């Protein structure tokens, strides 16, 4: 029996990889190392059902499952260094773990506002300021929930998916929520202004205040806690709490320490990989939010932070490591979703903010829209139109001329 696989990161990618390795017949040791003390859980529910207190974190597998599948699960454990020559990693306790294959599934850290927004204030670090929250881990959500009360004033900085989902959940709980976003609309970077405006109306109709086209230039502080958010239009929003949702940073410190090639920030950064998850060092792989995989041609890389993308990567990488790699197939159509209030918004394909948008079905908050670029279909986005979106998967993969598609509607 060989040294097996050490997976650094016990999130969705790491757990699915361990599962797929066993399904592929891989019998050598598999060790999963996680920084958090909790059993590995699914992150998407955190900003929704978990934040609303409707349930606890959704565990990906039971403790018994790891034992039954002979997967060593090390929780509350951080990998501190990698010895490529000795094929070992060291953890915080001083223990070393041997590996034949090493997988980095280290994920992301949330991005905070720069500390210079505190210039002239009594505090020096945004991350350590009272009343400042992010939504990335189960502990983050628990800390935010402890400060909630009916009517609490909350400014959500950033109107991407996490910001909008969090704002919707907090508003549902009775908070007075204001979203601040420098782009022209919510979800602008992902879905463009027209679709963003529809989502924005969904929020304002339910009492959320949305301030787009303005950025944060400062925070006011009192007694070690945030008291206000200063905007670049000169106004100040008095607040009790702020939630920062302005993106995340790939956790690449371990990758850098051993000289792995990193991707350019223009394509999302992260660890550069081929289409099978192999990094620039033989025997070292990466997957999930931290990984930047090439396509089957080896020419295109882009880091993608979607649940389904990570699941697909885990299947491919398991076959690579287990030696059961299949012939290259067409890449899966990208799919992601967001739940805000009682509306599910789904997306297939690779729509971009500057694509042409064609709304083909609309009924109040429900709609279906096609995205096109250079006359070809690039994606389908629907709100409250689950069936209509999902039946377009093959069509999106085929990327037909948009005019041809519109004539059928």
């Amino acid at each position: 029996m060989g040294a097996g696989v050490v997976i650094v990161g016990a999130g969705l990618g790491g757990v699915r990889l361990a599962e797929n390795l066993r399904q592929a017949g891989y019998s050598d040791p598999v060790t999963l190392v996680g920084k958090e003390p909790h059993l590995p859980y699914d992150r998407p529910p955190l900003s929704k059902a978990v934040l609303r207190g409707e349930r606890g974190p959704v565990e990906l597998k039971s403790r018994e499952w790891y034992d039954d599948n002979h997967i060593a699960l090390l929780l509350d454990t951080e990998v501190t260094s990698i010895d490529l020559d000795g094929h070992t990693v060291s953890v915080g306790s001083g223990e070393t773990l041997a590996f034949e294959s090493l997988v980095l599934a280290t994920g992301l850290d949330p991005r905070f506002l720069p500390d210079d927004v505190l210039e002239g204030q009594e505090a020096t670090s945004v991350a350590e300021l009272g009343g400042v929250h992010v939504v990335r881990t189960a502990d983050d959500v628990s800390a935010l929930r402890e400060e909630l009360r009916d009517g609490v004033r909350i400014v959500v900085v950033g109107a991407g998916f996490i910001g909008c989902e969090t704002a919707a959940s907090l508003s549902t709980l009775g908070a007075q929520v204001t979203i601040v976003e420098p782009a022209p609309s919510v979800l602008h970077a992902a879905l463009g202004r027209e679709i963003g405006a529809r989502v924005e109306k969904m929020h304002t109709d339910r009492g959320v205040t949305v301030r787009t086209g303005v950025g944060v230039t400062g925070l006011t502080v009192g007694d070690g806690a945030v008291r206000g958010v200063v905007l670049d239009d000169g106004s100040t929003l008095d607040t009790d709490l702020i939630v920062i949702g302005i993106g995340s940073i790939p956790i690449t410190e371990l990758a850098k320490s051993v000289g792995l090639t990193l991707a350019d920030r223009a394509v999302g950064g992260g660890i550069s990989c081929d289409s099978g998850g192999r990094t620039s060092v033989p025997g070292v792989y990466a997957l999930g939010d931290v990984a930047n995989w090439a396509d089957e041609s080896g020419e295109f890389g882009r880091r993608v932070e979607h649940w389904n993308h990570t699941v697909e990567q885990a299947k491919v990488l398991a076959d690579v490591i287990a030696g059961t790699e299949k012939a290259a197939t067409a890449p899966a159509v990208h799919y992601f979703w967001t739940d805000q209030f009682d509306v599910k918004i789904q997306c297939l394909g690779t729509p971009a903010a500057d694509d042409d948008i064609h709304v083909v079905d609309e009924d109040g908050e429900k709609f279906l829209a096609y995205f096109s670029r250079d006359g070809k279909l690039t994606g389908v986005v629907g709100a409250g139109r689950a069936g209509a979106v999902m039946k377009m998967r093959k069509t999106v993969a085929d990327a037909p001329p948009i005019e041809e598609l519109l004539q059928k509607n």
Side-chain angles (χ1 to χ4, degrees), residues 32-166:
L32 194 58
V33 184
K35 290 175 62 175
E36 296 185 58
H38 316 287
L39 279 176
Y41 57 85
D42 211 12
R43 293 193 189 277
L46 291 181
S47 56
K48 299 180 277 288
V50 178
L51 178 54
R52 294 192 299 268
E54 297 167 1
R55 62 160 305 143
V58 181
E59 294 174 357
L60 293 167
K61 299 290 183 182
S62 67
R63 168 63 77 172
E64 291 73 24
W65 180 88
Y66 298 97
D67 295 338
D68 292 345
N69 286 276
H70 306 289
I71 294 166
L73 178 62
L74 305 182
L75 299 177
D76 203 14
T77 302
E78 184 169 5
V79 172
T80 56
S81 64
I82 300 170
D83 179 355
L84 292 177
D85 292 332
H87 283 257
T88 62
V89 298
S90 297
V91 298
S93 64
E95 181 184 1
T96 59
L97 308 173
F99 66 84
E100 181 178 355
S101 298
L102 176 66
V103 179
L104 300 181
T106 46
L108 308 169
D109 273 334
R111 191 185 302 275
F112 280 82
L113 291 169
D115 289 336
D116 60 14
V117 299
L118 294 171
E119 186 174 354
Q121 300 292 318
E122 61 189 55
T124 58
S125 171
V126 173
E128 296 175 2
L129 187 63
V132 174
H133 296 271
V134 292
V135 177
R136 176 65 187 171
T137 69
D139 288 342
D140 291 337
V141 173
S142 179
L144 176 55
R145 281 189 52 79
E146 287 179 2
E147 296 203 63
L148 298 181
R149 62 184 185 278
D150 193 44
V152 65
R153 299 168 300 175
I154 304 177
V155 174
V156 176
V157 181
F161 293 114
I162 290 295
C164 286
E165 290 174 359
T166 300

Side-chain angles (χ1 to χ4, degrees), residues 122 129-131 220-228 240:
E122 61 189 55
L129 187 63
T220 60
V221 178
D223 298 325
V226 65
R227 300 300 183 203
D240 302 303

Side-chain angles (χ1 to χ4, degrees), residues 304-348:
V304 178
E305 298 177 15
H306 297 323
W307 191 94
N308 285 58
H309 196 74
T310 297
V311 170
E312 292 298 324
Q313 285 183 344
K315 294 177 183 177
V316 173
L317 183 51
D319 286 330
V320 169
I321 294 174
T324 56
E325 188 174 4
K326 300 173 178 62
T329 58
V333 173
H334 289 292
Y335 169 70
F336 61 90
W337 76 95
T338 174
D339 296 310
Q340 298 176 35
F341 298 105
D342 54 352
V343 179
K344 179 180 287 292
I345 302 168
Q346 297 167 288
C347 176
L348 284 172

Side-chain angles (χ1 to χ4, degrees), residues 164-233:
C164 286
E165 290 174 359
T166 300
S169 293
L170 293 172
S171 178
T172 300
L173 291 172
Q176 299 178 41
V177 180
T178 299
I179 297 174
V180 173
E181 168 58 54
S185 71
V186 307
L187 301 183
H188 185 271
L191 300 178
R193 187 166 189 167
E194 182 175 351
I195 300 302
R198 293 168 184 271
V199 179
E200 186 173 315
K201 185 177 184 301
M202 181 172 69
H203 280 258
T204 57
D205 284 350
R206 289 167 171 80
V208 176
T209 300
V210 180
R211 297 285 303 274
T212 56
V214 290
V216 176
T217 58
L219 300 178
T220 60
V221 178
D223 298 325
V226 65
R227 300 300 183 203
V229 178
V230 183
L231 305 181
D232 59 16
D233 64 358

Side-chain angles (χ1 to χ4, degrees), residues 27 68 168 240 253 261 353:
S27 58
D68 292 345
D240 302 303
E253 285 74 17
T261 299

